[in-house]
Amino acid sequence: MFPLHRPRRLRTTPAMRRLVSETEVRPRQLILPMFVKEGLSAPAEIGSMPGVLQHTRDSLRKAAVEAVQAGVGGIMLFGVPAERDAVGSAGTDPNGILNVALADLRAELGDSTVLMSDCCLDEFTDHGHCGVLAADGTVDNDATLELYGEMAVAQARAGAHVVGPSGMMDGQIGFIRNALDEAGLQDTGILAYSVKYASAFYGPFRDAVESQLAGDRKTYQQDPGNGREAIREVQLDLAEGADMVMVKPALLYLDVLRSVAEVSDVPVAAYQISGEYSMIEAAAANGWIDRERSILESLTAIRRAGADMVLTYWAVEAARWLDR
């Protein structure tokens, strides 16, 4: 008799496939990145990210409420200031756009979702780097840590449940943990961007935050060819007190994500970044792929590789599909 084994028996009906499915994506596992821009009078669509908006403070509140109602697990907030300087002063200013928007959302949402904040200087500096520059033009790691500590405290006081250091500075998790603890903010969590590659796929995001960067960030973000280095970065962040760790980008680094999930004893996040989003949107708009199936398949792949949570610009839309 041939064939002896017939795996197709477990694929015969939708009910059968649902019963034996190994990987699940649920709304609670999705985190929505959102952008708020200072001085806007109305929400503005980001040209390279169809369907994603730069929000006003008012539209941000409304969109965040809709996200919570859809069941998403959290919100990651990025700010776009009206003015920038060499040290990113708008990022540490309690009255800066990111911090006042955090306060708006915490007042509106309370503890009904997990409110996260990007703890990095790149949106706020006039040179677009994630830290302050030394006299020779390089990013000054240790001087940057001082500002990260100030940012984290300001964001936590504004209402962030979790701060997300994304700058890839050495020692950033330990420094921020100490700053939060010394300020009496021991309950504020840290989502460490432990594994962040110097990817070519961040372009649309830089449009979203109106980045001033000229050049690249290869001296502090990781080389795309390196895998073992990612594990070392995770281990260092765990030793410094990270409550969660992240791999970014997601789809292009599923092998790294799997390796991180195998060694991490805290929850693992993955960021489905702007370029990954825009590629699928562009292909779907041209009729080359089925949009909904492609989005859900991509999220399933990230979960299957080991992510406990996924930052995705489709969080609200996907949550509604998953719960219908």
Side-chain angles (χ1 to χ4, degrees):
M1 297 291 293
F2 181 84
L4 178 62
H5 300 285
R6 294 183 181 271
R8 287 182 56 191
R9 294 185 190 117
L10 300 184
R11 305 172 194 150
T12 52
T13 68
M16 180 66 78
R17 293 190 294 273
R18 183 173 62 247
L19 178 67
V20 301
S21 177
E22 299 176 23
T23 303
E24 185 177 44
V25 182
R26 301 303 306 146
R28 67 174 181 83
Q29 298 160 339
L30 306 179
I31 298 166
L32 176 66
M34 303 184 77
F35 304 96
V36 59
K37 182 178 177 181
E38 187 174 12
L40 277 185
S41 57
E45 185 167 82
I46 300 160
S48 57
M49 299 179 70
V52 180
L53 303 174
Q54 290 178 326
H55 283 284
T56 68
R57 288 173 65 182
D58 285 340
S59 70
L60 177 73
R61 284 194 293 267
K62 294 174 183 176
V65 168
E66 291 176 3
V68 173
Q69 291 173 342
V72 303
I75 291 168
M76 174 64 79
L77 190 59
F78 299 87
V80 185
E83 296 182 4
R84 297 172 170 86
D85 61 26
V87 296
S89 300
T92 54
D93 183 356
N95 296 312
I97 182 60
L98 179 54
N99 292 322
V100 295
L102 284 168
D104 289 344
L105 292 188
R106 188 61 182 270
E108 185 76 41
L109 302 172
D111 295 331
S112 63
T113 193
V114 179
L115 184 57
M116 304 177 174
S117 56
D118 182 56
C119 188
C120 191
L121 290 172
D122 59 315
E123 298 106 295
F124 304 102
T125 56
D126 56 12
H127 46 74
H129 277 288
C130 296
V132 294
L133 301 183
D136 62 0
T138 61
V139 174
D140 187 326
N141 189 94
D142 295 1
T144 297
L145 296 184
E146 297 286 344
L147 295 179
Y148 282 3
E150 292 180 32
M151 287 186 76
V153 169
Q155 291 172 359
R157 286 176 173 162
H161 295 96
V162 174
V163 297
S166 60
M168 292 296 290
M169 296 296 119
D170 294 340
Q172 63 184 14
I173 303 306
F175 197 97
I176 288 171
R177 184 71 271 161
N178 288 337
L180 290 170
D181 291 353
E182 289 175 2
L185 298 163
Q186 295 90 342
D187 290 338
T188 303
I190 300 177
L191 169 57
Y193 285 60
S194 299
V195 182
K196 184 176 181 181
Y197 285 92
S199 174
F201 289 81
Y202 296 137
F205 176 90
R206 291 175 184 168
D207 290 342
V209 297
E210 301 177 9
S211 173
Q212 305 300 297
L213 182 68
D216 58 53
R217 298 180 175 134
K218 293 180 180 179
T219 62
Y220 45 103
Q221 294 178 354
Q222 289 178 229
D223 185 325
N226 291 359
R228 290 191 301 271
E229 182 183 32
I231 302 305
R232 184 182 185 209
E233 290 279 8
V234 167
Q235 291 170 335
L236 289 170
D237 284 354
L238 291 174
E240 291 176 22
D243 299 290
M244 297 173 275
V245 296
M246 185 195 293
V247 175
K248 180 180 181 182
L251 285 173
L252 296 167
Y253 296 88
L254 294 179
D255 59 325
V256 175
L257 176 56
R258 166 50 57 192
S259 296
V260 169
E262 289 173 350
V263 301
S264 176
D265 58 0
V266 302
V268 176
Y271 199 142
Q272 187 174 43
I273 65 167
S274 59
E276 296 169 336
Y277 171 92
S278 296
M279 286 193 300
I280 291 176
E281 286 288 351
N286 278 285
W288 297 334
I289 58 174
D290 180 287
R291 181 174 179 273
E292 179 177 335
R293 285 186 60 194
S294 298
I295 291 168
L296 293 178
E297 184 177 343
S298 69
L299 293 172
T300 301
I302 297 167
R303 285 276 296 121
R304 188 187 67 243
D308 299 293
M309 60 199 84
V310 184
L311 286 81
T312 176
Y313 299 99
W314 289 302
V316 173
E317 193 171 12
R320 290 170 177 157
W321 293 337
L322 294 165
D323 267 352
R324 70 187 176 198

